[in-house]
Amino acid sequence: MFSLLRNRFGIPGLVAVVALVFAMVGGAYAAKKYVITSTGQIKPSVLKSLQGKAGPAGPAGAKGDPGAKGDPGAAGTAGVAGTKGATGATGVTGSTGTTGTTGATGTTGATGATGPVGPTLPSGVTETGTWGGQFTAETMLPVSLNLPLSAAPDPVFVGVAASAPGCPGLVSGVPTAESGKLCIYAGVLATATFQLFLNPTANFAEGASKEGAVMSFGCTGTCIAVGTYAAKAP
């Protein structure tokens, strides 16, 4: 009976039912002396006998939603630095390589052909050479220019160790001439006397040609006349 009531109304409901019964049976006396307002007024042994067994476990509830993602953990402290390893031993130095041999010198190329010679001596260029001979009577000695001048020069005979207008003399042993001059320098005159210049291209008229000149010498006994010349193209 108590078990049925306990299962139906629970402990608080059962207490209320018992109080109602007491109220109905005891009448006014119960209402005055035994009003039960809490389980503390009921004897513990009575309460213990009134407690029912636990009911069967209810079905499992639905799976709850995942919880919020937790905050990142604090960074860990840096590990202790490892000790420096020992220095390795120095390797053995390799041997020095041998010096290579010098290559053979190449052969010299062939000399190029001589360029063509111009028809006349270029302007401002000086041509030099030698003249002379030995003779026993009046004679003629030629002075021929390797490159003819563009115009017949003015010939000048200069005695031994001397100079003349247009013919400054020998510079370091080299004969010189001013523009348009053919300077004939005597190095040795032995019993020979210069007389005049002759132009072989104009029937040996007095003067010189573009190719040079012929000198006429007088002679007493055995004569020698030698020297140098310079002709400068105008």
Side-chain angles (χ1 to χ4, degrees):
M1 178 70 175
F2 283 114
S3 176
L4 178 62
L5 293 174
R6 182 182 60 196
N7 291 337
R8 185 178 182 90
F9 298 106
I11 296 299
L14 181 59
V15 171
V17 171
V18 171
L20 178 60
V21 171
F22 275 28
M24 293 174 66
V25 174
Y29 177 82
K32 292 181 180 180
K33 301 292 182 175
Y34 299 101
V35 177
I36 299 172
T37 58
S38 69
T39 56
Q41 295 175 280
I42 301 174
K43 188 175 181 180
S45 59
V46 175
L47 287 176
K48 184 176 180 181
S49 63
L50 294 177
Q51 290 179 355
K53 295 180 179 180
K63 185 178 180 180
D65 296 331
K69 184 178 179 180
D71 295 331
T77 57
V80 179
T83 56
K84 183 179 180 181
T87 302
T90 303
V92 178
T93 301
S95 58
T96 303
T98 57
T99 302
T101 57
T102 303
T105 302
T107 57
T108 302
T111 303
T114 303
V117 178
T120 59
L121 188 68
S123 177
V125 177
T126 300
E127 181 179 330
T128 62
T130 60
W131 61 271
Q134 182 176 338
F135 45 93
T136 57
E138 184 176 336
T139 191
M140 292 185 292
L141 299 175
V143 173
S144 299
L145 300 177
N146 296 322
L147 280 179
L149 305 181
S150 59
D154 178 20
V156 179
F157 186 85
V158 183
V160 178
S163 62
C167 299
L170 276 65
V171 178
S172 300
V174 179
T176 59
E178 292 181 1
S179 178
K181 294 290 184 177
L182 171 59
C183 299
I184 308 296
Y185 294 99
V188 177
L189 281 177
T191 65
T193 304
F194 171 76
Q195 296 177 338
L196 73 165
F197 288 104
L198 302 172
N199 184 347
T201 63
N203 295 322
F204 290 94
E206 188 174 356
S209 71
K210 295 184 293 184
E211 291 79 13
V214 173
M215 296 179 291
S216 174
F217 285 94
C219 179
T220 302
T222 300
C223 301
I224 299 175
V226 296
T228 59
Y229 69 87
K232 188 172 184 179

